[in-house]
């Protein structure tokens, strides 16, 4: 038997141990190839939107490569560590150090080549589906057809082969000075009670407390100063949490003799406590990965959800624009032209607004500026508002004397700042002392005020007062009226910026939102699978020790049910402690994001964390099924 045959038999004989690592590599190669095929695809035109998409894809590929380096290096290190005794025996049988390195090299090369080939085949199979999805997402005129793109195969195949080769050669560094006796003793070394340092435990609390404290006090103005300190403090704090804090906590649990001797608790706590030093590095990495996945996917989801809500909230009607009294309406677009286009595209108009308003100014203190400044607004009469109230879905009002109602965005007009309001009409001013504020947009993003008919008539007579005409069309099923809104905007020519078309803006935001969300979630999914693979890898590399322990427990009378309970608790600790720690980290990141956007993201955060926990539970149940079958049979 030569070394290549021995390497092949080693892999097939330990297929279960390599399964998660192999599948993660295949998935990584497949995702990289799909992105590469899109980037190098000849049908991708040189339009601006496509350049943005390509940049996003390239950024995602860089992340995939960086993470592959980290994951492959970690996996190689674990495989070599767990096989120390096997290498020692092979050395005793006459295998020299060069042959030992060749054996490991052949094994890793076989796995990497098979993973690359499988990744390319699966990538080719799913490319058609991916290109169809991207065609729909980008709403391009011509569909992106499936083609064999040699550059994508070359970059993916050669790139990942070189990456596997370099990392395999670097992993030999661990074997360079190990003696036979060291290799044989490595697996049989007794586990020692882990030690802790009070000062490092205190440092854990200080780092995490400082990181969380900075996160909750961060806003849009300070984010660039606090972002990296928060990241550094939380990462350092997480490392010491698992190397010191968790050990200290488990020692206290271990000292509680009353609960320790209850059922199988003694065995479970002893197993976890004496292996915590081994688990610490993996728990630290998987917790950080969980936090990254939750923060990245949650931020993308919440950020664009908030932008979408905010963007549409400032556009109350499907099509609307304002004409100053000095403007010639024909220079922008006529209502006849708009209605002609709406009829041409079979768009159903729910209602139309065509009203005169007074253009005014007032002193306000926007929250984004934090100082008093002159703001623009519009004024309509009570009777005009009541005539429109049924169409716009508001109750009629009845005003008298000094009463005034304001409709304005919350960041422009906070009622707590005003005891009275002075409005400038042309060259005259009028002060209103009975103010009612609604934080919503009535006509345009500027503030709109409603006066009694008497006060409005008086304001109209003010010297140099400006009048403007507000025109709006509300369409049925406006989200699907993109084509007519584009036609109307094109008809305005160089005055397109004056007219607001809600369907067109919605389509643009949705296109950008869907694409970024898709890329973000795809990369997050990759991180999630790799994180799960690390847990799987750790469990199956310790399988031989676990089997010995279960055999010993059987001889002292433990039932299968009790042994399953012990394994359940150990696996639950490994799978769900990182989820818990990652969720806490991500929650503070969400608070930071809420402060920056000035919106409440609690429900969104609960949704993202719940989905992640559910996915982790599914992964846990699948791994549990395989692990129980391997350990108990």
């Amino acid at each position: 038997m030569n070394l290549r045959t021995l390497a092949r038999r080693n892999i097939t004989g330990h297929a279960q141990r390599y399964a998660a690592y192999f599948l993660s590599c295949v998935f990584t190669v497949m995702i990289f190839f799909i992105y590469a095929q899109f980037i190098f695809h000849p049908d991708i035109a040189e339009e601006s939107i496509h350049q943005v998409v390509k940049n996003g894809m390239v950024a995602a590929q860089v992340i995939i490569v960086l993470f592959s380096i980290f994951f492959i290096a970690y996996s190689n290190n674990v495989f070599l560590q767990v096989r120390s005794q096997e290498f020692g025996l092979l050395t005793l049988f006459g295998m020299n150090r060069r042959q030992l390195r060749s054996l490991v090299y052949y094994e890793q090369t076989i796995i990497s080549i098979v993973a690359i080939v499988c990744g390319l085949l699966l990538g080719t199979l799913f490319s058609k589906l991916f290109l169809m999805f991207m065609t729909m997402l980008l709403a391009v005129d011509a569909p992106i057809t499936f083609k064999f793109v040699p550059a994508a195969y070359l970059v993916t195949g050669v790139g990942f082969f070189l990456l596997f080769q370099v990392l395999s050669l670097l992993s030999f560094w661990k074997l360079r000075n190990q003696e036979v006796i060291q290799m044989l003793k490595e697996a049989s070394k007794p586990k020692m009670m882990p030690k802790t340092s009070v000062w490092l435990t205190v440092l854990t609390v200080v780092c995490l407390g400082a990181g969380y404290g900075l996160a909750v006090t961060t806003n849009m103005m300070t984010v660039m100063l606090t972002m990296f300190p928060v990241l550094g403090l939380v990462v350092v704090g997480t490392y010491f949490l698992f190397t010191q804090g968790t050990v200290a906590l488990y020692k206290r649990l271990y000292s509680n003799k009353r609960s320790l001797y209850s059922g199988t608790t003694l065995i479970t706590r002893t197993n976890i406590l004496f292996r915590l030093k081994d688990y610490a590095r993996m728990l630290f990495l998987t917790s950080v990965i969980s936090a990254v996945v939750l923060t990245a996917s949650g931020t993308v989801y919440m950020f664009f959800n908030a932008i979408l809500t905010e963007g549409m909230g400032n556009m109350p009607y499907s099509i609307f624009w304002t004409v100053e009294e000095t403007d010639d309406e024909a220079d922008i677009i006529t209502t006849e032209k708009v209605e002609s286009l709406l009829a041409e595209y079979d768009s159903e108009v729910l209602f139309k607004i065509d009203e005169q308003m007074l253009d005014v100014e007032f002193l306000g203190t926007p929250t984004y500026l934090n100082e008093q400044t002159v703001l623009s607004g519009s004024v309509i009469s009570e009777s005009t508002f009541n005539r429109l109230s049924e169409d716009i879905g508001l109750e009629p009002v009845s005003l008298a004397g000094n009463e005034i109602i304001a409709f304005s965005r919350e960041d422009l007009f906070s009622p707590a700042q005003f005891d009275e309001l002075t409005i400038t009409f042309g060259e005259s001013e009028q002060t209103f002392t009975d103010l009612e504020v609604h934080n919503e947009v009535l006509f345009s993003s500027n503030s709109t005020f409603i006066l009694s008919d008497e006060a409005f008539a008086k304001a109209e007579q003010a010297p140099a007062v400006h009048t403007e005409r507000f025109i709006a069309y509300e369409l049925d099923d406006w989200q699907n009226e993109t084509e007519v809104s584009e036609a109307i905007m094109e008809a305005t020519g160089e005055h397109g910026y004056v007219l607001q078309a809600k369907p067109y803006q919605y389509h643009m935001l949705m296109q950008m939102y869907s694409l970024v969300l898709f890329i973000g979630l795809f990369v997050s999914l990759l991180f999630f699978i790799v994180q799960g693979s690390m847990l799987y890898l750790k469990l199956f590399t310790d399988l031989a020790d676990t089997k010995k322990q279960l055999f010993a427990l059987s001889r002292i009378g433990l039932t299968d049910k009790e042994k399953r309970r012990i394994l359940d608790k150990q696996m639950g600790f490994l799978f769900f402690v990182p989820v818990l720690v990652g969720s806490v980290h991500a929650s503070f990141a969400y608070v930071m994001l809420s402060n920056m956007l000035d919106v409440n993201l609690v429900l969104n955060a609960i949704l993202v964390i719940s989905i992640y926990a559910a996915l982790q539970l599914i992964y846990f149940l699948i791994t549990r099924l395989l692990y129980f079958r391997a350990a108990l049979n």
Side-chain angles (χ1 to χ4, degrees), residues 269-434:
R269 286 187 187 171
T270 304
N271 275 345
I272 293 177
L273 178 61
F274 280 79
R275 292 180 177 181
L276 265 179
K277 283 292 183 185
D278 291 341
Y279 289 157
R281 189 176 166 199
M282 188 202 63
L283 289 170
F284 162 67
L285 293 172
T286 50
S287 296
V288 171
I289 293 170
S290 296
V292 168
V293 171
L294 282 167
T295 305
S297 56
T299 300
V300 170
Y301 172 70
M302 295 174 197
F303 188 72
F304 284 98
N305 232 7
I307 286 180
L308 197 64
T309 304
E310 179 73 10
M312 294 303 101
N314 289 329
M315 304 181 73
Y317 307 106
S318 305
I319 308 288
F320 65 95
W321 71 101
T322 302
V323 182
E324 298 289 338
E325 62 176 352
T326 55
D327 289 342
D328 181 354
E329 187 195 352
D331 286 344
I332 299 174
I333 191 169
T334 62
T335 52
E336 290 77 12
K337 177 66 176 175
V338 172
E339 288 166 15
S340 164
L341 288 169
L342 290 173
E344 183 182 335
Y345 284 87
D346 294 326
S347 303
E348 183 180 349
V349 179
L350 296 177
F351 62 85
K352 174 187 174 183
I353 298 173
D354 190 346
E355 300 292 344
Q356 295 290 336
M357 304 175 182
L358 301 184
D359 187 14
V360 299
E361 292 181 341
F362 65 100
L363 283 176
T365 310
T367 54
Y368 61 83
L369 203 57
N370 205 26
E371 63 180 31
Q372 202 170 54
T373 187
V374 177
L375 299 170
S376 298
S378 304
V379 169
I380 61 172
S381 68
E382 169 192 350
S383 57
T384 301
F385 176 81
N386 288 340
R387 190 172 64 251
L388 298 173
S389 59
E390 185 176 351
D391 284 337
I392 61 181
L394 295 171
E395 292 295 322
V397 298
S398 177
L399 300 175
N402 247 358
E403 292 179 337
I404 184 171
I405 297 176
F407 283 84
S408 182
R409 285 173 13 216
E410 191 172 2
D411 60 338
L412 277 181
F413 203 95
S414 172
Q417 299 169 347
F418 294 89
D419 293 326
E420 59 182 32
L421 179 67
T422 299
I423 294 182
T424 303
F425 303 92
E427 295 178 355
S428 66
E429 291 183 348
Q430 188 172 351
T431 300
F432 298 88
T433 55
D434 195 350

Side-chain angles (χ1 to χ4, degrees), residues 568-602:
D568 254 340
K569 288 180 180 176
Q570 289 177 203
M571 287 184 66
F573 177 82
L574 292 178
F575 271 79
F576 294 108
V577 166
V579 175
L580 177 66
V581 174
S583 299
V584 173
H585 291 348
S587 298
F588 283 93
Y590 297 154
V591 172
M592 197 168 162
L593 187 64
S594 298
N595 293 341
M596 288 166 57
L597 298 176
D598 197 24
V599 292
N600 188 342
L601 300 173
V602 173

Side-chain angles (χ1 to χ4, degrees), residues 151-172:
Y153 288 93
L154 190 67
V155 169
T156 309
V158 174
F160 270 93
F161 181 75
L162 291 176
L163 179 64
F164 279 113
Q165 291 290 299
V166 170
L167 292 175
S168 297
L169 294 174
L170 288 176
S171 68
F172 295 156

Side-chain angles (χ1 to χ4, degrees), residues 312 315-319 478 500-507:
M312 294 303 101
M315 304 181 73
Y317 307 106
S318 305
I319 308 288
W478 61 266
Q500 299 291 315
K502 191 174 175 179
Y504 178 74
Q505 296 294 334
Y506 177 78
H507 176 73

Side-chain angles (χ1 to χ4, degrees), residues 54-98:
K54 285 167 70 176
N55 290 341
M57 293 291 184
V58 171
Q61 285 192 309
V62 172
I63 293 172
I64 291 171
V65 170
L66 291 175
F67 207 76
S68 300
I69 293 171
F70 159 76
F71 174 64
I72 295 166
Y74 174 82
S75 302
N76 286 343
N77 187 47
V78 171
F79 284 135
L80 292 181
Q81 188 178 9
V82 80
R83 297 176 64 188
S84 293
Q85 193 174 30
E86 178 189 339
F87 294 153
L89 288 173
L90 289 172
T91 307
L92 280 180
F93 293 152
M95 188 175 280
N96 60 35
R97 204 173 296 277
R98 184 170 173 275

